[in-house]
Amino acid sequence: TAMKRAVKCSAVLVLATAAWLACLLGAGGLQFSPAVAAIIPYVPLLVICAFGCYSLGYLGYCMLTFNDCKDASDELNQQIAEAKRELGKNGIKL
């Protein structure tokens, strides 16, 4: 499935790049107002900045909604104590 994701991401990247280049070079007789034409060269930078903002926001959201696993922590501590007792019975000191 990782390869499918890589192919999908590559296809989207190629299509987006082709669309940006078509707009940048005016392929197919595309005509833009001077204000829009001035922004087109900076679209990749704006996309990267938007992706960075989204990533930071998502990371912050995940940190705020992180759930503590109290039951799993207790179970792990119990297993560690049990392993120490068993190793102590076999003459291994920790």
Side-chain angles (χ1 to χ4, degrees):
T1 60
M3 194 63 176
K4 289 181 184 178
R5 178 176 278 182
V7 170
K8 183 178 177 182
C9 289
S10 298
V12 169
L13 183 65
V14 167
L15 288 174
T17 302
W20 175 70
L21 282 173
C23 292
L24 185 65
L25 301 175
L30 290 172
Q31 297 291 327
F32 296 106
S33 68
V36 173
I39 294 173
I40 290 175
Y42 302 104
V43 168
L45 180 62
L46 295 173
V47 169
I48 290 171
C49 289
F51 177 72
C53 291
Y54 168 78
S55 297
L56 285 174
Y58 184 73
L59 182 64
Y61 172 76
C62 288
M63 288 175 60
L64 288 174
T65 60
F66 183 75
N67 293 330
D68 291 332
C69 302
K70 182 70 173 148
D71 295 336
S73 176
D74 292 340
E75 182 181 353
L76 182 60
N77 286 332
Q78 182 182 5
Q79 289 175 355
I80 291 171
E82 183 181 330
K84 285 182 178 180
R85 282 194 305 271
E86 288 180 14
L87 289 173
K89 289 178 184 176
N90 294 332
I92 300 173
K93 294 185 181 183
L94 296 176

